[in-house]
Amino acid sequence: MAEELSLPENPVAEPPSGEDRQRLLSHERHARILDQLAVSGSIGVAAIAAALGVSDMTIRRDLLELEREGRLVRVHGGAMLAEAPASVAMDSEEPRFDARLRRGSEAKAAIAACAAGLVSSYRTAAIDVGTTTYLMAGHLREADHLKVFTNSLRVSTRLDGGAPEVYVAGGRVRPEEMSVWGPTAIAQFEKLWFDVAVLGTSGITAEGFFDYSFEDTDMKRVYLRRSGFRILLCDSAKFQRMSLVQVGTLADINLLITDAEPPSRIAAALAAARVEVRIAPPAAGH
């Protein structure tokens, strides 16, 4: 009698282990993240975490892994698509004030007028050095409720005889820029709190915004630390330009006023940092 054969039952697949399941979920999340990036160009951590039903920390780990693979670039609060690095120009020398004032004069006039319309609604304003902030000050001469704090002797002169109260930091003067800097100036303004700060810049990239000098940068950072609302003025000729010192990241500002739409890489970084972008209309007479 033939020996009875015992056939195995139909095999049932073992459920994946926790590690395998996690790997599968990670793969799915990565695909969804990249799909969303392809549509919008940028994503926020909180939004994609909510859409996928996972924690912000999980998404941050996913973004880190995808960045290591070269699939995306992390920015403050999210990520944007990786792309061929846009060329960034390096300005090694600071042009003279008069030369900068003539360069892009129409754009700067438009930005200055737009910024003044916002700043005039506040009670206390810190105003940085620079050509566009200098032009903006000329629009504030009738703002009799405004107190202006500045380290720019040019700004203070522009407002001389006008309605605002003007307070100038004490310290050492940079002759060409006519800006005040040093530990005394910093200590004075560190004790204050401003409703709004208006900063100029030598250039802006997706990584942040820049200035030519260490001395003026120290005061810019005081304004950033000690202000409730922070406005950056930057004409479009300064997009994709950098200089000696990075003042801060895009997340350090609340509003960018410019004369044209930023290039896609900067625009995505601004959106991820939740920075409002306002395009100034042409100024009257230009």
Side-chain angles (χ1 to χ4, degrees):
M1 179 177 178
E3 186 177 14
E4 184 178 354
L5 296 177
S6 177
L7 298 176
E9 297 180 3
N10 292 332
V12 177
E14 293 272 343
S17 67
E19 183 179 352
D20 290 339
R21 180 60 179 161
Q22 181 62 30
R23 187 178 299 115
L24 176 63
L25 289 173
S26 174
H27 174 77
E28 292 172 347
R29 291 197 307 273
H30 290 186
R32 290 281 298 277
I33 288 169
L34 293 172
D35 286 345
Q36 184 60 40
L37 280 171
V39 171
S40 62
S42 65
I43 58 169
V45 168
I48 199 70
L52 298 181
V54 296
S55 68
D56 287 7
M57 185 62 68
T58 296
I59 294 299
R60 291 186 205 281
R61 287 195 296 266
D62 290 339
L63 297 183
L64 180 59
E65 291 175 16
L66 289 167
E67 184 178 52
R68 287 170 176 165
E69 295 172 6
R71 309 294 296 277
L72 55 76
V73 176
R74 288 183 302 151
V75 295
H76 180 83
M80 58 187 184
L81 274 176
E83 57 185 32
S87 60
V88 175
M90 176 69 183
D91 297 322
S92 56
E93 294 186 7
E94 182 175 22
R96 293 177 62 85
F97 184 89
D98 290 344
R100 297 186 346 252
L101 191 61
R102 291 191 298 269
R103 183 187 300 169
S105 59
E106 292 187 10
K108 291 178 179 180
I111 294 167
C114 180
L118 297 174
V119 173
S120 61
S121 66
Y122 289 93
R123 306 291 296 183
T124 59
I127 300 181
D128 187 22
V129 300
T131 54
T132 313
T133 53
Y134 170 77
L135 293 173
M136 182 194 71
H139 295 279
L140 299 174
R141 291 178 57 82
E142 305 303 319
D144 56 4
H145 61 284
L146 185 63
K147 290 181 173 65
V148 170
F149 298 82
T150 186
N151 64 315
S152 169
L153 298 182
R154 284 193 172 92
V155 167
S156 67
T157 301
R158 186 85 163 174
L159 290 169
D160 185 40
E165 295 179 18
V166 181
Y167 300 83
V168 180
R172 186 172 180 178
V173 177
R174 287 184 66 212
E176 168 55 29
E177 194 62 25
M178 297 297 290
S179 59
V180 182
W181 65 282
T184 301
I186 290 171
Q188 286 177 338
F189 278 13
E190 280 279 17
K191 296 176 182 177
L192 306 176
W193 182 260
F194 312 110
D195 293 332
V196 62
V198 186
L199 281 74
T201 184
S202 63
I204 185 171
T205 70
E207 284 67 45
F209 56 103
F210 298 81
D211 193 71
Y212 297 104
S213 74
F214 288 111
E215 298 92 342
D216 290 345
T217 295
D218 288 340
M219 287 300 293
K220 291 173 189 285
R221 289 172 179 161
V222 171
Y223 295 154
L224 292 173
R225 289 193 297 269
R226 304 299 297 171
S227 298
F229 192 76
R230 299 167 294 277
I231 301 173
L232 185 69
L233 310 184
C234 180
D235 61 89
S236 56
K238 297 175 182 174
F239 294 152
Q240 290 300 111
R241 303 194 74 88
M242 60 187 297
S243 52
L244 179 64
V245 189
Q246 182 172 341
V247 179
T249 67
L250 300 182
D252 291 322
I253 60 174
N254 304 109
L255 171 66
L256 171 68
I257 303 179
T258 185
D259 61 298
E261 292 289 345
S264 59
R265 187 175 178 82
I266 295 177
L270 288 163
R274 299 185 179 180
V275 178
E276 179 187 352
V277 178
R278 188 166 301 191
I279 310 300
H286 288 269

